Amino acid sequence: MERIITIWPDFAADFACKAGGCRHTCCRGWEIDVDSDTAHWYLSLDGPLGDELRRKIRCDDGTYSFRLTADERCPFLRSDGLCRLVLGLGEENLCEICTMHPRFFALCGKIELAGFGLACEKATELLLAAKELCFHAEGDSQSFTFPALLMFLGYPVPDAWLRPPARLTRGQMSFLLEQMEATEPIDAVWTRQLAALRAAGDALLLSYAQLFAAQGEAVAGRLTSYILYRQLDKVPRYGIGALAAYARGNAAFIYLLAASLQDFPEAVRRWSEQIEYDEENTAHLIEACGRESSSFLIGNGR
Ligand code: SF4
């Protein structure tokens, strides 16, 4: 049997959950399923923690999950951001989702593309701080660039596709806002954030260009490339052109959001949890940007 090769971004080696130091715990705001092997083990534990696990794990149609608190937090998340299951049972005894999150894996033929989702504060920090976005095969120390990976996979793209336009037109901004407004909002704050972008009007175009210039092309390139990297398993379905337009359009949107929030890492993280963690929202954006790819998202905006 042919071996699957797993590719990681080089910055993965520096990942460590910020735990209590994270402004945005990932243990809040969504259902946390517990795989059945771990659930059965949790439910069999003796002592006060076992009793609490029996009270705080529920089973619906054979699927186990934690009973979230009224404010949608994991019941084992402490107010200081630490996890009582890690503290009481050890990190090695977490359920699959808690062990794997925020990692993602996408199969691309015999290549597995792995990484850390940008909804994680630490992953975003590492991506933005990296000197260059390079990758390596698991167990191999040799690094290669994203264009080299695309070439290897048979999806070479022009360099200009791997960063958003330096300046946006009014039409491009309007298109991006319309598409974002058509996605299912993760929360009411997202809807307000989009409304603020609308209200900013043309002033936002100037802020976009200033932010792009201040951040530099290298950051724009890393961000766009990493957004595309996460979707490469979808090339057979959508084509590399549509996915590159998706990456470019969404990177452009992140600059708009960052210009409004005055917080670039938070804009990346916020966009990711709204779009990348909702398959329907991702599909909507890929299809919409793919339809528009030849008209303006592939143009360089200079
Ligand atoms: S978002 Fe990232 S850094 Fe923050 S708690 Fe979750 S895994 Fe840790």
Side-chain angles (χ1 to χ4, degrees):
M1 204 169 76
E2 236 179 306
R3 194 168 70 91
I4 301 271
I5 296 171
T6 302
I7 305 290
W8 288 94
D10 287 358
F11 70 70
D14 296 324
F15 181 83
C17 171
K18 295 173 75 175
C22 183
R23 280 189 299 165
H24 301 97
T25 175
C26 50
C27 312
R28 185 179 58 202
W30 38 38
E31 289 296 322
I32 306 169
D33 288 348
V34 184
D35 60 282
S36 59
D37 285 352
T38 308
H40 288 140
W41 183 69
Y42 281 168
L43 297 173
S44 71
L45 291 175
D46 292 329
L49 188 54
D51 291 339
E52 190 179 355
L53 280 159
R54 280 182 283 283
R55 283 198 310 277
K56 294 184 176 169
I57 288 180
R58 69 163 183 232
C59 183
D60 296 315
D61 295 330
T63 301
Y64 295 93
S65 60
F66 291 118
R67 290 182 196 279
L68 301 184
T69 62
D71 60 350
E72 298 199 313
R73 295 166 68 90
C74 173
F76 294 95
L77 177 65
R78 294 197 332 189
S79 58
D80 61 1
L82 298 181
C83 169
R84 288 196 290 120
L85 295 181
V86 169
L87 298 173
L89 301 172
E91 206 165 337
E92 65 283 7
N93 287 312
L94 292 178
C95 63
E96 282 174 10
I97 281 186
C98 296
T99 301
M100 297 314 290
H101 189 84
R103 293 161 189 80
F104 65 80
F105 298 90
L107 205 54
C108 214
K110 294 285 178 198
I111 306 287
E112 183 178 52
L113 304 174
F116 289 85
L118 295 175
C120 164
E121 198 172 301
K122 182 67 180 181
T124 291
E125 285 174 11
L126 290 172
L127 173 68
L128 296 180
K131 272 207 185 86
E132 195 181 1
L133 179 60
C134 284
F135 297 85
H136 63 276
E138 197 167 84
D140 191 340
S141 59
Q142 197 178 347
S143 290
F144 43 85
T145 63
F146 186 57
L149 175 63
L150 289 175
M151 187 73 83
F152 175 77
L153 293 172
Y155 310 140
V157 303
D159 276 356
W161 290 15
L162 297 178
R163 56 179 180 270
R167 286 186 294 276
L168 279 191
T169 64
R170 192 180 293 146
Q172 287 172 323
M173 180 169 76
S174 167
F175 168 80
L176 291 172
L177 293 183
E178 267 170 37
Q179 300 315 321
M180 290 295 164
E181 284 160 357
T183 62
E184 184 66 33
I186 188 172
D187 54 28
V189 176
W190 176 257
T191 307
R192 289 201 292 276
Q193 286 172 330
L194 287 185
L197 295 183
R198 275 272 177 219
D202 285 358
L204 198 53
L205 294 173
L206 179 61
S207 306
Y208 174 103
Q210 288 170 337
L211 181 61
F212 188 97
Q215 291 284 339
E217 285 198 347
V219 169
R222 286 202 296 281
L223 179 61
T224 310
S225 298
Y226 197 66
I227 291 172
L228 177 56
Y229 173 72
R230 184 165 182 167
Q231 305 301 334
L232 285 177
D233 61 322
K234 301 190 176 90
V235 172
R237 180 166 176 199
Y238 294 107
I240 188 69
L243 293 170
Y246 159 86
R248 209 164 182 239
N250 281 278
F253 173 80
I254 289 168
Y255 277 79
L256 290 172
L257 185 60
S260 169
L261 297 180
Q262 300 281 301
D263 184 337
F264 195 72
E266 173 57 11
V268 175
R269 198 203 62 75
R270 186 74 175 131
W271 164 81
S272 178
E273 67 179 1
Q274 165 67 21
I275 302 301
E276 288 189 311
Y277 282 81
D278 184 312
E279 284 181 20
E280 286 180 18
N281 286 349
T282 306
H284 171 77
L285 264 299
I286 294 173
E287 284 162 15
C289 293
R291 278 196 300 276
E292 292 294 326
S293 61
S294 59
S295 61
F296 72 97
L297 284 174
I298 298 299
N300 75 13
R302 282 149 214 267

